[in-house]
Amino acid sequence: MSPLRLAFMGSPDFAVPALEALHQAGHDIAVVYTQPPRPAGRGQRETPCPVHRKALELGLPTRHPVRLRRDEAEHRAFADLGLDAAVVAAYGLILPSAMLSAPRRGCLNIHASLLPRWRGAAPIQAAILAGDTETGITIMQMDEGLDTGPMLLSGRVPIRETDGVQVVHDALAGLGCELILRALEEDPPPVPQPEDGATYAPKLSKADGQMPWSEDATALARRVRALNPWPGTFFLHQGQPVRVTEAVADDAAGDVPPGTVLDGLPRIACGRGALRLLQLQRPGRASQPADAFLRGYALPPGTILG
């Protein structure tokens, strides 16, 4: 296949392998769009996102506008690139119709779910939270809706009971590379998404990480696997957050209020069953196995956690 003239639009780690794969395949990447650098770290220094850093490493030109919807100059600049296609992977900005229609073959999105299930901002986390046993990648022809465009290719990845978000994330990122290269080479016909079965994965916030002890212990164990490392899962004790970085569902808790510390393992009573905490982390400290953590931090049985 002759190399295509492309724009790449992405920001987080998930998108980096696809950018590398397109570059290694010899496609002409005219520009890489990313989110703008933002303050990070203790010094709050302006820091480029992972895709921005990789583009600079590869010697590719970058653009990082703050917004696109009403930026007609950006629309014209994008159209003037004379693109065959744009590849989009977790970019973070909504593309207006003027940009969606500018490339000859439109804009192709690497979406981390089996559409129409888990449209939206956090599909990997949503699949784990829901207890799905599989997820996948859909290469989608973008339209103006929220992940509603017709599908070009898809592939599946299992979710095992012990898989955390990073394991699933990495498997999907690798699969996305394979499928976007195939989609560009094969130019498969678009297939409309089914009208039923659509679910949505909203953007996550730090507040989503607080442990709702009234839920089933199995659901809380999935929450820990889905939300670490970000936004992280935590409970409040003596007004301070304590992160739970690994946990498993355990036996029934008995007749005590949800959130009650049951014993020194420690196990925490839930709405149904108990959650055994395996790894814990105090603010500013490294994550530790629960037994080591408790040598320096008391959680006496009978304590009720927030």
Side-chain angles (χ1 to χ4, degrees), residues 114-125:
L114 296 170
L115 291 170
R117 188 162 177 79
W118 303 130
R119 296 169 176 168
I124 303 174
Q125 292 89 342

Side-chain angles (χ1 to χ4, degrees), residues 111-119 122-136 156-165 168 172 197-201 218-219 222-223 225-226:
H111 186 75
S113 81
L114 296 170
L115 291 170
R117 188 162 177 79
W118 303 130
R119 296 169 176 168
I124 303 174
Q125 292 89 342
I128 297 173
L129 284 168
D132 292 358
T133 58
E134 68 174 2
T135 185
R156 297 174 181 269
V157 165
I159 303 176
R160 297 165 296 189
E161 289 186 2
T162 56
D163 284 345
V165 68
V168 181
L172 291 174
T199 55
Y200 292 87
T218 300
R222 290 198 300 261
R223 180 176 291 267
R225 291 192 288 114

